[in-house]
Amino acid sequence: MKNLGMSDFEVDYLRELASEYKKVALSKENQAKIQNWYDINDLKPNAKPLFMNHYWPVAMGEIFPEGSFKCKTATALQYEKHFKTKLFYIQELGDDNVCEPVVPAYYGAGIEPFGGLPSKNMIRAEGDDGTGAYELAPIIIERDDLSKIKDPILHYNRDKAFEIFCQTREIFEPELTVVKRATLWGSKLGDQFTWFRGMEQAYIDLIDDPEWTHELLKVIADKYEKALYLLVNAGIWGNYDLSDALSTSSGLRYATGIKDYKDVKDGDFFNDKIELNQSWAESIAEAFTCVSNDMHKEFSYKYDKILAKPFKYMNIGCCEVLGRKIDLIREFDNARMISISEWNDYELAAKNIGKDFVYSYKPAGVPFLGENLDKAAVEREIRGVLEAVKKHECNAALVLNIGGTLGKNPIKKTKEWSEIARKLVDEYYS
């Protein structure tokens, strides 16, 4: 398995990309942006808002269409995409993405949190390629079905992982420091409940059978906790590269007290461990957007608070409408960043967040759907957010997370969106 199965051409080409990546990482501009992220996430007063792009595979496939990559083998292609994606954000879009002079070793590790039971049963239309809408079929139907939920299973071969780690070092060092692959986890307890029961039945359960609901939630929380500690005890929990986004809708990981690659003094990244109190927790319950604050607290945050307690900081939310639920989030001792989706009242969210959390705004993707970017809509939205966060002195980041298509002219649109964002941030915070 010399060179991870890569051809000599692929190794040479990836080393060229790694060299370019390192130059960007060590540049003064990149270092200044990193400090800006620390200022935002440490809640430094009067910190200038940041903005970044973060696209899912469908959108990235439009930015880099088939045939635009030089590598052919799976591992080499994974690294090529890694370097090119981050360099595109930084060099072409000029946003506040950053990079570090590190690269992960992509060894195999995975976890089945429910002991082999699937987390969801998706029913798709015939011919769907896996990107369309789907129906959730229930998995847990009767009380006796709780016995189907087993203890988590960790799939990790340490000897094989070390072999891959060493070969990755041979390819990329000394140009870049090789670190362990990020293995992360976030609590989707409320969403998992709806996946197990089916969306419609889950909402009925909240009202008609809260006792049964809590019974299932306790089982889910127990398996989540066991899965988390399997990762921690195996030494594969955490992320040494803080330039990776916290989630699909939040900013970067930089914050005082969060461990990164520079904190590993002896450079033994393979044997080093990241503790929970040196890392971020995440909590998402998108399915609970339409329930009351009391229900959200009782059936999600009650358990999330216990699961998140050992962590340094917590990032809460994705597409939920949380602007009217900030009082619930204040009950978390370590809450730091809150995802504010496009469906929020910008002003209400900013007023409720104030100086106490990071206002991580998730801009709308609708302006991208036409042949050209709807620039007027983009400007209205960003102005609305900036006026609100400036008025209430919030530390803020705008994270353009495109999970679906960018439509026609994707590169032109993403550049235009980034230009508008930069112009408006500079205008409001000159």
Side-chain angles (χ1 to χ4, degrees), residues 17 19-25 27 29-30 33 83-99 415:
L17 287 177
S19 178
E20 181 182 2
Y21 194 80
K22 181 180 181 179
K23 289 178 183 178
V24 174
S27 69
E29 182 180 7
N30 190 71
K33 287 181 180 179
F83 292 132
K84 283 187 171 180
T85 297
K86 193 67 73 73
L87 290 173
F88 174 75
Y89 292 151
I90 297 170
Q91 296 177 326
E92 299 297 321
L93 303 186
D95 67 1
D96 290 309
N97 267 292
V98 300
C99 60
K415 286 184 176 181

Side-chain angles (χ1 to χ4, degrees), residues 26-199:
L26 299 181
S27 69
K28 290 182 178 179
E29 182 180 7
N30 190 71
Q31 295 301 310
K33 287 181 180 179
I34 289 175
Q35 184 57 54
N36 292 342
W37 280 107
Y38 273 109
D39 292 346
I40 288 289
N41 292 340
D42 285 345
L43 302 179
K44 181 179 179 181
N46 304 313
K48 186 176 181 179
L50 303 174
F51 78 93
M52 58 177 280
N53 296 265
H54 185 192
Y55 307 146
W56 287 24
V58 171
M60 287 312 304
E62 294 167 342
I63 298 291
F64 295 109
E66 188 175 352
S68 61
F69 295 104
K70 295 183 180 181
C71 295
K72 303 299 181 184
T73 60
T75 302
L77 182 60
Q78 190 173 14
Y79 280 113
E80 184 179 7
K81 289 180 177 180
H82 170 77
F83 292 132
K84 283 187 171 180
T85 297
K86 193 67 73 73
L87 290 173
F88 174 75
Y89 292 151
I90 297 170
Q91 296 177 326
E92 299 297 321
L93 303 186
D95 67 1
D96 290 309
N97 267 292
V98 300
C99 60
E100 296 279 14
V102 300
V103 64
Y106 292 129
Y107 52 78
I111 196 156
E112 296 180 73
F114 307 115
L117 186 71
S119 63
K120 63 175 72 171
N121 181 11
M122 297 179 288
I123 301 175
R124 296 185 178 276
E126 185 177 351
D128 190 295
D129 64 357
T131 62
Y134 54 85
E135 178 185 354
L136 284 168
I139 297 173
I140 303 299
I141 301 172
E142 306 292 341
R143 269 184 165 80
D144 290 346
D145 290 340
L146 287 176
S147 62
K148 297 179 180 178
I149 307 176
K150 308 296 184 182
D151 281 348
I153 301 170
L154 175 64
H155 299 282
Y156 175 58
N157 184 323
R158 195 174 190 277
D159 291 338
K160 190 69 171 179
F162 184 65
E163 180 184 354
I164 292 172
F165 185 84
C166 292
Q167 290 194 34
T168 308
R169 291 186 65 181
E170 290 175 3
I171 293 171
F172 290 110
E173 291 188 355
E175 202 68 59
L176 296 174
T177 298
V178 175
V179 298
K180 282 189 289 190
R181 186 195 80 156
T183 305
L184 304 170
W185 168 89
S187 170
K188 286 193 172 186
L189 193 139
D191 288 343
Q192 183 59 60
F193 167 68
T194 66
W195 300 341
F196 271 158
R197 291 290 284 155
M199 294 295 291

Side-chain angles (χ1 to χ4, degrees), residues 43-47 49 323 330 345-359 383-396 428-429:
L43 302 179
K44 181 179 179 181
N46 304 313
R330 290 186 185 281
D345 179 318
Y346 314 144
E347 170 77 15
L348 177 65
K351 179 181 178 182
N352 289 339
I353 286 174
K355 303 177 184 179
D356 299 330
F357 309 100
V358 178
Y359 184 122
R383 281 192 184 278
V385 173
L386 292 177
E387 287 174 2
V389 298
K390 187 175 179 67
K391 176 180 177 182
H392 295 285
E393 301 180 71
C394 304
N395 281 40
Y428 280 85
Y429 292 83

